[in-house]
């Protein structure tokens, strides 16, 4: 269920559904959490609020781009444990 707030007038549910469908077509990789629709005469200003997308941190460790060390074999784990870690003073 998408929370829709309309200011400056009224819209039918059919019009609201059309704006939601337009956003889903235009931004297929995003999920809408809510919408603000401001009406000013014949002008419509729409603000979309998107759901946050979790992301995984990627680091360069021993020459490989990895998120976690869980897929490393014993040799790579030992190489990571033996590496010199530099501190910034």
């Amino acid at each position: 269920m998408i929370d829709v707030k309309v200011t400056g007038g009224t819209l039918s549910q059919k019009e609201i559904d059309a704006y939601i469908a337009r956003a889903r077509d235009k931004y297929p990789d995003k999920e809408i959490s809510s919408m603000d629709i401001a009406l000013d005469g014949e002008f419509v200003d729409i603000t979309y609020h998107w759901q946050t997308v979790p992301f995984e941190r990627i680091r360069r460790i021993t020459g490989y781009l990895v998120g976690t060390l869980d897929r490393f074999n014993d040799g790579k784990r030992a190489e990571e444990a033996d590496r010199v870690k530099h501190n910034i003073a």
Side-chain angles (χ1 to χ4, degrees):
M1 181 71 182
I2 298 172
D3 181 34
V4 179
K5 183 171 74 171
V6 179
T7 58
T10 59
L11 289 176
S12 68
Q13 188 60 45
K14 186 176 179 181
E15 290 174 303
I16 292 171
D17 292 341
Y19 286 126
I20 292 171
R22 178 184 178 275
R24 287 183 174 151
D25 287 342
K26 191 171 182 178
Y27 306 102
D29 298 335
K30 296 183 177 184
E31 287 293 323
I32 304 168
S33 61
S34 64
M35 288 174 54
D36 296 331
I37 302 174
L39 304 175
D40 184 14
E42 300 220 359
F43 296 99
V44 178
D45 184 28
I46 303 172
T47 303
Y48 300 107
H49 302 279
W50 307 105
Q51 292 182 359
T52 57
V53 178
F55 65 94
E56 182 180 336
R57 178 180 168 209
I58 301 294
R59 300 176 289 167
R60 184 171 185 263
I61 299 175
T62 66
Y64 295 90
L65 294 175
V66 296
T68 62
L69 303 179
D70 60 339
R71 295 182 60 197
F72 275 13
N73 63 22
D74 292 339
K76 277 294 173 196
R77 287 179 198 261
E79 186 178 335
E80 191 277 331
D82 293 342
R83 73 184 182 144
V84 176
K85 295 171 177 73
H86 301 280
N87 292 326
I88 299 175

